[in-house]
Amino acid sequence: MTDEMVKLFYGSLLHDIGKAIQRSDSSKTFIKHSKIGGDFLREYTDDKDILNSLRYHHTAEINSTRLADDSLSYITYIADNIASGTDRRREDPADNKNRFDSETPLTDIFNRYGKTKSERYIHPGELSLDNLDELVPTTKRFDYTKGEYARGVVYFAQGLKALDFTADYIPSILNLLEATMGFMPSSTNTHEEADVSLFDHMKLTAAFAVAIKQYLDYQKITDYRSELYRDSNKFYQKQAFIMVGYDFNGVQKFISTITSKGAHKQLRSRAFYLEMMSQWFVDTLLRELGLTEANVLYADTNHGYLIMGNTPNNRRIVEDLQAEFQAFLLENFGTDLYLSVGMAAFRANQVRTKNTSAEYIKIFREIDSTIKKNKLARYDAAKIMQLNEEQNHSGRECAVCHRVSNLLEDENKCLLCSKLENFSASIQNEDFFVVDTDKNGLPLGLGGFLKVVSKDEIVAGDVNGHIYSKNQLNTGLKQDSYLWVSDYSATENNDYNYYAKRTWMQDEDGHVVGIKKLGALMIDVDDLYAGFLAGFHKQGEGQFTTIGRYATLSRRLSLFFKIYLNDYAQNYELSIVYSHGDDVFVLGAWDDLLYFVTDLYEGFKQWTDGKLTFSAAVTMFNAKTPINIIARQTGELLSKVKNSGQSKIGIFSNDYIYSFEEYIYDVTQGKLSQIQRFFEGESERGKTFIYNLLSLIRQRKEKISLARMAYFLTRLEENSSNKEAFRQFKVATMNWLDSDEEINKLELALMLYVYETRKEY
């Protein structure tokens, strides 16, 4: 980035920090937040271009002074308007105190999502991994008091002391802002929805500001006052921006399609490897474009979106980098992995409150259409012929990935699979990584190689390259980016057979309780893409469809699946293989996975106010089943579940697919709990009757008479040690036999009971 662009970034990013300071101090209520922010930041920098963006980004301030026609403040001014979705010409409490409530907390982004309006709030405070429950929206309002704001401002000021206003510290300032101002509302105007955080608004303002500067430079426009201030309405109509979308295909298949002995130990390393590969592509693209992480609206391993200025050079950079990255993928992974990019030019008015939802949707539809076309024509004729020749190659191949290139002389593995196996332990245990040009690391493409590095080495200045930290918000370490990774595992050595051994479930005689099987869980959010396109258009005739809400919604979903998911997993015997935004793959104890997914379902329902749902599939396998078979069969079941509707779960096979409500309330809390209550008081001999009962139920589906079932239950009652309890069980069972649906649920409940109580000798 040029020095001027760096100044614009910091000025536009920090333009509204005066709001936090103003709300923390009663004596500053009638002082404009622009002046407060400028005075505050003057203690950390004397750069006039940066300070002017804080002091002069509203009409009143601009009119009260004489800025140079090429002042960066004009760019911050219009970027602020675009990011907020409207021209907020009277938004300062000093202008009209009756329109503002300084103690308004951040409201839930899902309040204006979907058909019905909600009234939910986010707890005031800072982002802390030690108190994740405060991230969950609640119907109870906790005022954002002056004390709460003051604490956040103090933390921000302390962090700012460790930073310089240079390009090296841009990731750190973004980390610092998210941690301290990610739950402060951007606007406390009582006539507006306070569902966009101060951090999200300032980040988006910086994204638009830098993109606008790129466009103006290409157009050779230097009179910013005329272009952006006097004629702002005309500028809103210009296609000054491009949204870039990418789709990384083959990720899940690459992670799980490995068949060699011990392949499961590579699962999490392969997942993290692709996560880093995708992140490296995005970060390299941003550097080549002269942009920052602020320009990323949303990014996970599979797909993402970013904003840039509409210039031919930017288009060329995106196309060239995509081609270079794709060449790397083809050389190293054949056709298994493919990254496709789409672009769409857009006007500011398409993403502001005065737009229509159709205009907003048009941007994403155009990107999606381009990506699909690129997928269909991904290889030219020469490349296809080359690939065919490679497939006809005979001889030795890698036992893990079955490729024939880069094979090690003394092993039945290729160089990449060998590195991934050695890298597996580091992924779970290490927090810092570096990407440099050392070819001993894992190749990420675009000239980058990944390896582990220690915090001490970073602090000592011994690390050259691009530094990444995992699940931390560090500042001052000149890191390129932080990564939120759902990586909880109850086993430290990636030995998933541990879950089938069930050593933690033993009776007093040391016998393992519960069937010795390995469980697999896959989750996928229902219609997430459609929700992003049209989730906010159903209220207020589309007035809430703004780019700011899209960015906030994206971050909230990332918080759930990247941070909160780890917290949910803490009490269960399982390992999260990957969580890539809207799809999750977990291995673990089969029964713990069932408890975990229902817990997660309730958590996601609370997180989204029930306005987004997910579907899930839980399968069970012998411990030595190859991971590629586990992944394929679980994925196939999940596909059947999603084809049957939304918010559903499949248990073990497509014979048992229910809505989550049916599974939770009818199967587990209804039938299974009653079965448990009765049979837990029975002798082992009494429990053997349950196998016959299960057999009869399966025959009942083939029209065996109810009379035979009643006779069998009566015989069982005679042998019961608690006849009254069993009488109640018998009555309930006969009632459950009224329909095929209830019989099906009873069958599953009995199976679950058998599986969880079987003693393995």
Side-chain angles (χ1 to χ4, degrees):
M1 296 177 74
T2 65
D3 289 343
E4 188 177 34
M5 197 68 89
V6 170
K7 292 178 181 181
L8 174 61
F9 169 82
Y10 278 106
S12 56
L13 179 73
L14 301 176
H15 75 283
D16 266 352
I17 59 170
K19 289 183 176 180
I21 302 165
Q22 182 185 55
R23 297 169 193 168
S24 71
D25 189 343
S26 299
S27 67
K28 292 181 170 58
T29 301
F30 299 105
I31 305 174
K32 293 181 181 297
H33 76 264
S34 51
K35 181 181 186 309
I36 295 170
D39 291 345
F40 169 83
L41 199 63
R42 188 174 57 189
E43 298 180 20
Y44 303 91
T45 179
D46 58 0
D47 190 288
K48 290 184 179 180
D49 289 321
I50 295 176
L51 294 174
N52 281 350
S53 282
L54 276 70
R55 288 169 173 157
Y56 308 111
H57 62 269
H58 289 296
T59 305
E61 293 96 14
I62 291 174
N63 288 340
S64 67
T65 189
R66 178 59 187 176
L67 296 169
D69 290 343
D70 63 351
S71 172
L72 299 178
S73 298
Y74 293 116
I75 300 180
T76 298
Y77 158 79
I78 200 164
D80 179 27
N81 287 338
I82 297 170
S84 63
T86 185
D87 265 313
R88 298 187 305 180
R89 295 175 184 269
R90 292 180 59 81
E91 58 131 38
D92 198 305
D95 294 329
N96 189 340
K97 65 177 181 179
N98 293 325
R99 289 180 54 189
F100 292 85
D101 178 2
S102 63
E103 295 188 338
T104 296
L106 183 68
T107 59
D108 181 24
I109 191 62
F110 286 98
N111 284 355
R112 288 296 185 176
Y113 187 95
K115 295 180 181 179
T116 58
K117 183 180 184 299
S118 305
E119 294 285 348
R120 305 201 310 165
Y121 305 90
I122 307 297
H123 199 285
E126 295 74 51
L127 179 57
S128 171
L129 299 183
D130 297 328
N131 195 10
L132 293 179
D133 287 341
E134 291 191 355
L135 299 178
V136 182
T138 174
T139 55
K140 183 177 180 180
R141 168 175 163 156
F142 294 92
D143 286 347
Y144 218 124
T145 64
K146 290 177 174 57
E148 295 276 3
Y149 275 110
R151 188 181 64 236
V153 170
V154 169
Y155 289 167
F156 176 74
Q158 290 173 343
L160 208 56
K161 293 177 182 178
L163 307 180
D164 293 329
F165 290 84
T166 63
D168 286 338
Y169 283 90
I170 284 176
S172 290
I173 192 70
L174 287 169
N175 295 353
L176 180 60
L177 274 177
E178 181 176 10
T180 57
M181 301 185 187
F183 302 107
M184 295 179 183
S186 173
S187 174
T188 59
N189 190 322
T190 57
H191 298 286
E192 296 177 1
E193 197 67 46
D195 54 356
V196 176
S197 76
L198 193 55
F199 163 71
D200 284 310
H201 170 67
M202 292 194 291
K203 176 176 175 282
L204 193 58
T205 299
F208 277 113
V210 174
I212 290 168
K213 184 69 166 63
Q214 289 184 328
Y215 173 79
L216 296 176
D217 287 349
Y218 167 69
Q219 297 289 344
K220 295 183 169 34
I221 297 172
T222 58
D223 185 355
Y224 303 156
R225 180 180 179 86
S226 296
E227 178 73 12
L228 306 177
Y229 188 66
R230 290 175 178 168
D231 296 328
S232 59
N233 287 331
K234 291 182 180 179
F235 182 80
Y236 293 139
Q237 296 294 337
K238 293 183 178 181
Q239 285 195 326
F241 309 101
I242 293 175
M243 190 175 294
V244 181
Y246 68 87
D247 198 352
F248 200 6
N249 302 111
V251 170
Q252 280 72 32
K253 185 177 180 181
F254 172 82
I255 294 170
S256 58
T257 309
I258 46 179
T259 59
S260 65
K261 183 179 180 180
H264 57 277
K265 293 185 178 181
Q266 282 196 32
L267 277 179
R268 299 173 77 224
S269 61
R270 291 170 81 89
F272 183 78
Y273 176 47
L274 289 194
E275 194 155 359
M276 275 302 311
M277 193 185 296
S278 179
Q279 182 73 44
W280 178 245
F281 169 77
V282 172
D283 289 348
T284 306
L285 179 59
L286 291 171
R287 279 193 298 273
E288 292 294 315
L289 291 168
L291 301 175
T292 75
E293 189 71 22
N295 288 81
V296 178
L297 288 178
Y298 176 76
D300 62 31
T301 308
N302 297 312
H303 43 71
Y305 299 96
L306 59 92
I307 294 172
M308 66 183 187
N310 187 2
T311 73
N313 186 55
N314 278 353
R315 287 183 177 272
R316 178 188 58 77
I317 289 172
V318 173
E319 291 168 353
D320 289 351
L321 207 67
Q322 189 270 341
E324 181 182 349
F325 188 65
Q326 183 53 38
F328 160 77
L329 294 176
L330 193 61
E331 178 182 355
N332 288 273
F333 311 103
T335 59
D336 292 343
L337 295 173
Y338 181 77
L339 187 137
S340 182
V341 171
M343 291 179 275
F346 68 96
R347 297 170 283 107
N349 270 353
Q350 289 181 262
V351 295
R352 299 170 68 230
T353 54
K354 298 297 182 182
N355 73 327
T356 65
S357 296
E359 287 294 314
Y360 174 84
I361 293 172
K362 188 186 298 182
I363 302 169
F364 293 90
R365 294 292 192 201
E366 184 177 342
I367 294 171
D368 191 47
S369 175
T370 306
I371 288 175
K372 288 179 179 178
K373 288 178 182 177
N374 290 340
K375 288 180 184 177
L376 293 174
R378 63 177 70 178
Y379 307 120
D380 57 26
K383 186 59 66 177
I384 292 174
M385 291 180 64
Q386 177 186 336
L387 291 170
N388 288 335
E389 291 177 2
E390 292 177 357
Q391 287 181 348
N392 293 329
H393 178 87
S394 60
R396 203 162 59 96
E397 65 179 25
C398 175
V400 180
C401 68
H402 303 295
R403 291 187 57 77
V404 297
S405 59
N406 297 320
L407 294 176
L408 298 175
E409 289 186 8
D410 301 326
E411 297 185 50
N412 61 342
K413 298 175 187 173
C414 67
L415 179 61
L416 178 61
C417 287
S418 178
K419 287 183 177 181
L420 281 168
E421 185 173 340
N422 295 331
F423 195 58
S424 295
S426 299
I427 288 174
Q428 183 171 335
N429 301 322
E430 302 297 334
D431 296 322
F432 292 92
F433 306 87
V434 64
V435 180
D436 56 22
T437 57
D438 183 358
K439 294 184 179 180
N440 290 318
L442 284 168
L444 298 177
L446 307 176
F449 295 84
L450 176 68
K451 62 183 180 182
V452 174
V453 68
S454 71
K455 184 174 182 178
D456 290 340
E457 290 176 290
I458 298 171
V459 174
D462 297 333
V463 178
N464 293 316
H466 302 280
I467 301 168
Y468 294 81
S469 67
K470 184 180 71 174
N471 295 339
Q472 299 183 38
L473 281 169
N474 294 303
T475 59
L477 295 177
K478 297 186 178 180
Q479 63 187 49
D480 260 53
S481 183
Y482 62 91
L483 302 168
W484 293 122
V485 181
S486 288
D487 62 351
Y488 174 79
S489 180
T491 175
E492 295 182 358
N493 58 1
N494 292 320
D495 180 12
Y496 302 124
N497 290 335
Y498 159 79
Y499 297 120
K501 295 175 182 177
R502 300 181 65 83
T503 55
W504 66 93
M505 291 290 290
Q506 297 182 6
D507 64 11
E508 60 277 5
D509 298 321
H511 299 138
V512 170
V513 178
I515 189 170
K516 287 185 174 182
K517 298 284 186 177
L518 174 66
L521 163 67
M522 283 187 176
I523 294 171
D524 187 48
V525 176
D526 299 317
D527 291 337
L528 182 59
Y529 180 66
F532 276 142
L533 291 185
F536 293 105
H537 89 283
K538 297 177 181 178
Q539 295 185 44
E541 299 180 351
Q543 66 171 316
F544 301 107
T545 305
T546 64
I547 199 73
R549 286 191 174 86
Y550 174 84
T552 299
L553 177 66
S554 299
R555 190 168 70 90
R556 286 291 298 175
L557 288 175
S558 291
L559 282 172
F560 185 86
F561 284 108
K562 293 294 188 181
I563 300 179
Y564 215 81
L565 189 67
N566 271 342
D567 194 59
Y568 270 102
Q570 297 291 326
N571 299 321
Y572 299 101
E573 297 291 340
L574 56 82
S575 296
I576 300 172
V577 177
Y578 62 74
S579 177
H580 290 159
D582 61 342
D583 59 298
V584 179
F585 182 33
V586 186
L587 294 175
W590 64 269
D591 48 347
D592 269 28
L593 290 184
L594 288 172
Y595 293 127
F596 170 68
V597 73
T598 53
D599 188 17
L600 197 65
Y601 164 77
E602 295 291 354
F604 192 62
K605 183 178 179 181
Q606 186 177 6
W607 193 272
T608 67
D609 201 23
K611 295 179 180 180
L612 278 178
T613 60
F614 64 68
S615 297
V618 177
T619 49
M620 183 190 294
F621 299 90
N622 290 323
K624 295 183 179 180
T625 305
I627 192 64
N628 62 317
I629 295 176
I630 292 175
R632 186 185 74 245
Q633 292 186 7
T634 309
E636 288 172 353
L637 178 56
L638 180 59
S639 294
K640 292 176 181 177
V641 171
K642 291 183 73 67
N643 288 336
S644 70
Q646 296 186 3
S647 190
K648 291 195 172 185
I649 182 172
I651 313 294
F652 307 147
S653 75
N654 58 306
D655 291 331
Y656 309 107
I657 296 177
Y658 314 102
S659 71
F660 267 101
E661 301 294 318
E662 286 179 306
Y663 173 68
I664 294 172
Y665 298 111
D666 289 355
V667 176
T668 61
Q669 294 184 14
K671 297 173 177 58
L672 179 58
S673 63
Q674 191 155 344
I675 291 169
Q676 289 169 334
R677 282 196 300 272
F678 170 70
F679 282 101
E680 282 175 1
E682 290 296 305
S683 65
E684 288 300 316
R685 180 177 178 277
K687 288 183 180 180
T688 60
F689 278 96
I690 203 166
Y691 292 97
N692 292 327
L693 179 59
L694 188 57
S695 176
L696 279 176
I697 286 174
R698 287 169 176 166
Q699 294 177 37
R700 167 66 182 85
K701 295 161 99 175
E702 299 174 4
K703 309 302 182 185
I704 300 299
S705 70
L706 287 173
R708 183 176 178 182
M709 178 66 72
Y711 173 76
F712 172 78
L713 291 172
T714 300
R715 289 290 307 275
L716 182 58
E717 182 179 4
E718 293 173 356
N719 290 279
S720 173
S721 59
N722 188 340
K723 291 183 170 49
E724 176 56 28
F726 187 79
R727 187 192 66 78
Q728 296 176 14
F729 172 75
K730 181 177 72 172
V731 171
T733 300
M734 295 304 295
N735 289 334
W736 292 333
L737 299 177
D738 282 347
S739 69
D740 288 340
E741 289 183 2
E742 293 303 307
I743 293 172
N744 181 271
K745 294 174 185 176
L746 177 58
E747 180 181 359
L748 177 60
L750 289 168
M751 284 173 53
L752 292 175
Y753 180 74
V754 168
Y755 290 162
E756 72 181 14
T757 58
R758 178 184 294 176
K759 291 186 179 180
E760 301 282 351
Y761 296 88

